[in-house]
Amino acid sequence: MVNGLVVTASSVLAILVLESAAAYAFSRFRFRGRGAFMGLLALGLLLPLQSYFITQNTIFTDLGLTDTRWALIVPYTAMGLPLATYLLKVYLDALPFELFEAARVDGAGDLRVFLMIVVPLLKPGLATVAIFSALTSWNEFLIYVVFNRWVVGGVTAGSLK
């Protein structure tokens, strides 16, 4: 139970931090390759979880991550990022541009606009994403089975470090 809580909390926290910044960047900045990055996120929504098990298993074995919490946190975070980024990008696109422009006129830089204006406005969206991500991470069992050894006949599975 403790391992499940640690893994779920870690992956949800990583998703919230990474995707809020990514959604802000995709929503408010125009940069080269923006469409390609959004397309890569769409692939994350389209490809099934099982399609990258072999490659992921090889990478985690080479890095020595199997039977650790990182072997669960990294895929759970990667699974949650595409949907979360799209949800918050759409949410930010609906906000008026004048709000951000007024902050710029008052002398706020990109980081200050993000921390003082965007994050407080994103709280309902972040709560929604946190609930979806926590439920997905908590209920996902297939990755746990693949990346952690089972103790046959025992109560615990794997020796998570």
Side-chain angles (χ1 to χ4, degrees):
M1 181 89 158
V2 172
N3 284 329
L5 289 173
V6 168
V7 168
T8 299
S10 299
S11 62
V12 168
L13 182 65
I15 288 169
L16 291 178
V17 169
L18 293 173
E19 53 80 24
S20 61
Y24 176 63
F26 284 129
S27 177
R28 295 296 165 195
F29 299 121
R30 304 293 174 241
F31 53 91
R32 187 184 220 171
R34 182 174 170 250
F37 285 125
M38 292 299 284
L40 284 173
L41 283 175
L43 277 178
L45 291 172
L46 296 174
L47 292 175
L49 177 68
Q50 298 83 2
S51 66
Y52 49 87
F53 268 174
I54 295 172
T55 306
Q56 192 173 348
N57 193 18
T58 304
I59 292 170
F60 284 173
T61 302
D62 291 344
L63 293 175
L65 292 179
T66 53
D67 291 330
T68 65
R69 288 185 179 133
W70 288 107
L72 302 174
I73 293 170
V74 170
Y76 292 163
T77 302
M79 283 186 328
L81 283 176
L83 179 62
T85 303
Y86 273 110
L87 283 174
L88 289 186
K89 182 194 174 302
V90 170
Y91 188 81
L92 282 172
D93 285 344
L95 295 176
F97 182 74
E98 290 79 17
L99 183 67
F100 300 98
E101 199 172 87
R104 298 267 182 208
V105 168
D106 289 341
D110 292 330
L111 183 62
R112 190 160 191 95
V113 168
F114 177 70
L115 293 176
M116 298 297 184
I117 294 176
V118 172
V119 172
L121 289 173
L122 279 181
K123 283 183 182 175
L126 290 173
T128 303
V129 166
I131 291 169
F132 279 130
S133 300
L135 287 174
T136 302
S137 295
W138 185 261
N139 289 328
E140 213 296 311
F141 188 65
L142 186 59
I143 292 176
Y144 186 81
V145 172
V146 170
F147 294 119
N148 291 291
R149 285 177 273 156
W150 283 90
V151 177
V152 179
V155 178
T156 62
S159 59
L160 292 178
K161 300 172 189 167

